[in-house]
Amino acid sequence: MSDLLLDIGNSRLKWGVLENGEIRKTGHITQDSIQQHGLQSLTTKLPRSVDSVMASNVAGPSFATRLSGVIGAHCNCEVKFAHSEKRGWGIVNGYRQPRSLGVDRWVAMVGAWAEVSSACLVVDAGTALTLDVLDDDGKHLGGQIIPGADTMQQSLANATSDIPLVKRATKRDSGDMKMFALNTAAAVREGSQNAITGAVERAIQTLQSNAYEPTILLTGGGSSSILGSFDVAPLHRPNLVLQGLQHMLESAK
């Protein structure tokens, strides 16, 4: 048996094929590419023979409707969409209105808890940087949403006349003096990266000062560039949302 897992974000769509309890054949495509070339640019990369399709979608209901029809026809099965719940899979949603919590955040926490089953900080570095905290009982203590590095850089380029749009930062270790830049483009790049890592470090310090010793799980398209930036080494889980979908799917069988 095999199952198709889809992590549908604002900037890109990631997939993986679940076979014999392992996620294999992962890949991704940008939303820009889908807009330019249509959903066929996605389906040509996906298997036709799967038993089920499970998706986490934050790209909006209209995209979900289009995708469901095309993927359903391609794979000859219904696309099931995950939803944020009040409780489930060992964790409790901290939001008063559970469905208002981004489903990608919920599914990532499901994946994190399935792996560590203890206090953790889930860091997803994408279009936005999201931080979510679970305590030792699996209770969601809340989170933060911060513009991602690329979003910050785009905002500066749009709001000013002399600051250029810059390329994404390369991986840099904690304490590297290159964070102090000697040209404008590098200053924007280093500043946005420092804002991201500073927010995560502040969250870690706050948790530690309140007697929590969380495991840090890092995911998202921008995670590799900040992987070495923290004093506390995180668990790098690029496919954490897919892992959460896997746990949901396997728990239902």
Side-chain angles (χ1 to χ4, degrees), residues 1-5 15-26 47 50-52 54 242-243 245-250 253:
M1 294 182 65
S2 64
D3 306 282
L4 179 62
L5 308 175
W15 68 84
V17 178
L18 179 61
E19 296 178 336
N20 300 318
E22 293 188 18
I23 298 174
R24 311 173 187 269
K25 303 174 184 176
T26 60
V50 296
D51 297 288
S52 68
M54 183 82 171
L242 298 183
Q243 290 174 227
L245 292 172
Q246 173 187 359
H247 186 63
M248 289 178 166
L249 197 59
E250 291 178 339
K253 292 181 178 179

Side-chain angles (χ1 to χ4, degrees), residues 84-190:
S84 299
E85 307 288 349
K86 177 60 181 175
R87 63 178 66 240
W89 303 281
I91 63 176
V92 178
N93 194 329
Y95 272 31
R96 292 182 179 179
Q97 297 179 327
R99 288 292 179 98
S100 66
L101 174 70
V103 67
D104 55 338
R105 295 168 62 193
W106 173 252
V107 176
M109 285 191 285
V110 170
W113 186 258
E115 178 171 352
V116 302
S117 298
S118 62
C120 58
L121 173 65
V122 179
V123 180
D124 190 338
T127 304
L129 176 79
T130 62
L131 310 178
D132 283 289
V133 181
L134 293 172
D135 68 11
D136 283 317
D137 296 319
K139 181 180 179 181
H140 178 220
L141 302 182
Q144 295 182 359
I145 303 174
I146 304 162
D150 289 349
T151 307
M152 291 185 199
Q153 294 162 11
Q154 182 70 59
S155 177
L156 278 172
N158 291 341
T160 64
S161 59
D162 297 328
I163 296 179
L165 182 62
V166 301
K167 295 180 180 180
R168 178 174 291 182
T170 56
K171 184 177 178 181
R172 176 167 47 74
D173 292 333
S174 175
D176 191 333
M177 285 295 291
K178 290 181 180 179
M179 71 181 292
F180 301 107
L182 297 175
N183 62 73
T184 299
V188 171
R189 183 168 53 246
E190 295 298 330

Side-chain angles (χ1 to χ4, degrees), residues 1 5 10 17-18 21 35 39 44 70 78 89 97 100 102 126 139 162 165 192-193 208 219 232-233 235 244-245:
M1 294 182 65
L5 308 175
N10 292 295
V17 178
L18 179 61
Q35 289 179 5
L39 283 167
T44 56
V70 173
E78 179 186 1
W89 303 281
Q97 297 179 327
S100 66
K139 181 180 179 181
D162 297 328
L165 182 62
S192 59
Q193 288 296 107
Q208 290 175 337
T219 191
V232 178
L235 299 178
L245 292 172

